[in-house]
Amino acid sequence: GENVEQHPSTLSVQEGDSAVIKCTYSDSASNYFPWYKQELGKRPQLIIDIRSNVGEKKDQRIAVTLNKTAKHFSLHITETQPEDSAVYFCAVHRYSSASKIIFGSGTRLSIRP
Amino acid sequence: DTAVSQTPKYLVTQMGNDKSIKCEQNLGHDTMYWYKQDSKKFLKIMFSYNNKELIINETVPNRFSPKSPDKAHLNLHINSLELGDSAVYFCASSMDRFQETQYFGPGTRLLVL
């Protein structure tokens, strides 16, 4: 079955600096790669996603890059702010009738003032 | 105007008891899910229903029994609760069985004493 590895498990960056979180996956047929943000005590919420026919997608300070050949994708947050502190989950999905989303193990991002 | 709601928000109970968690979505989605998030924040799918039909059933003990009376509701009944069942249980929904964006409920924090 699909295996998703996420690194690092914790990340602390200075406010204003950039943060990068990486995920690798095993199933080359996977074709949808979302990222979820979970603030303390809250529900996970989708922040950005990318499909396998795209190499990069950007939304303001957040970007995701995908390398299908190497089977890895990354979340980039620039100009980090205190409200970016949260746990971030990558996920992998293969578009088929009974597939399921597999989540990475999460990265706890802390922004230092 | 809550999209995905769960009750109760907190549940503290003794080992051996039976308890239920209810979930409702008003998004008009066809597919609903139950996820378990343990103390290490791992987010793992347990069940998925599409239009009241079970489509994903992960290796979950038989003590867990989901029920979907209609496509807007998915309940989770747990028999003979064990200490290891302590976790946050998230309900989620997606537009259809091909998944993609998951809309999570606020979570039910279950503590088994």
Side-chain angles (χ1 to χ4, degrees):
Chain A
E2 176 66 272
N3 186 37
V4 181
E5 292 192 4
Q6 182 171 345
H7 299 282
S9 56
T10 60
L11 180 60
S12 178
V13 301
Q14 193 75 32
E15 183 177 348
D17 287 351
S18 295
V20 181
I21 302 169
K22 299 181 180 181
C23 284
T24 60
Y25 60 98
S26 57
D27 185 355
S28 56
S30 297
N31 52 16
Y32 176 66
F33 308 91
W35 285 89
Y36 286 80
K37 175 183 180 183
Q38 185 178 24
E39 295 177 2
L40 188 62
K42 300 283 180 67
R43 72 192 79 190
Q45 290 190 293
L46 180 74
I47 54 170
I48 195 166
D49 56 14
I50 192 167
R51 298 181 191 282
S52 57
N53 58 347
V54 176
E56 184 174 356
K57 184 176 178 181
K58 193 172 180 182
D59 182 3
Q60 299 183 338
R61 297 186 297 107
I62 294 173
V64 56
T65 57
L66 171 65
N67 184 327
K68 277 185 63 179
T69 304
K71 290 188 279 189
H72 67 69
F73 58 112
S74 301
L75 177 71
H76 304 253
I77 307 174
T78 58
E79 300 171 24
T80 53
Q81 299 170 5
E83 55 264 35
D84 295 330
S85 293
V87 178
Y88 291 81
F89 293 94
C90 66
V92 173
H93 173 240
R94 185 176 65 188
Y95 192 81
S96 71
S97 62
S99 62
K100 56 185 180 287
I101 287 186
I102 306 295
F103 284 87
S105 52
T107 296
R108 187 178 299 277
L109 175 63
S110 302
I111 308 301
R112 302 191 304 271
Chain B
D1 196 27
T2 307
V4 183
S5 58
Q6 291 178 233
T7 53
K9 194 171 181 180
Y10 300 97
L11 193 48
V12 181
T13 188
Q14 299 286 333
M15 260 195 327
N17 284 350
D18 303 338
K19 290 293 177 186
S20 291
I21 308 171
K22 293 179 187 260
C23 179
E24 176 181 1
Q25 54 95 4
N26 63 6
L27 296 167
H29 287 170
D30 286 344
T31 312
M32 296 183 73
Y33 313 81
W34 278 112
Y35 287 87
K36 179 180 180 181
Q37 186 171 45
D38 62 23
S39 57
K40 294 185 178 178
K41 299 295 184 185
F42 288 120
L43 198 56
K44 195 164 189 301
I45 192 168
M46 300 171 69
F47 302 103
S48 174
Y49 272 75
N50 185 70
N51 267 323
K52 303 191 294 177
E53 176 193 354
L54 180 67
I55 56 170
I56 293 174
N57 185 352
E58 288 296 278
T59 49
V60 177
N62 290 338
R63 299 181 295 102
F64 290 79
S65 51
K67 276 195 172 55
S68 182
D70 56 62
K71 74 172 194 177
H73 296 85
L74 180 61
N75 305 322
L76 183 65
H77 187 76
I78 315 170
N79 289 324
S80 305
L81 278 155
E82 299 178 357
L83 295 177
D85 297 333
S86 296
V88 180
Y89 292 85
F90 285 100
C91 175
S93 72
S94 65
M95 193 175 296
D96 57 39
R97 66 190 299 161
F98 300 105
Q99 303 189 350
E100 302 202 346
T101 305
Q102 305 273 293
Y103 293 82
F104 285 88
T108 295
R109 283 145 187 83
L110 171 64
L111 178 60
V112 182
L113 302 174

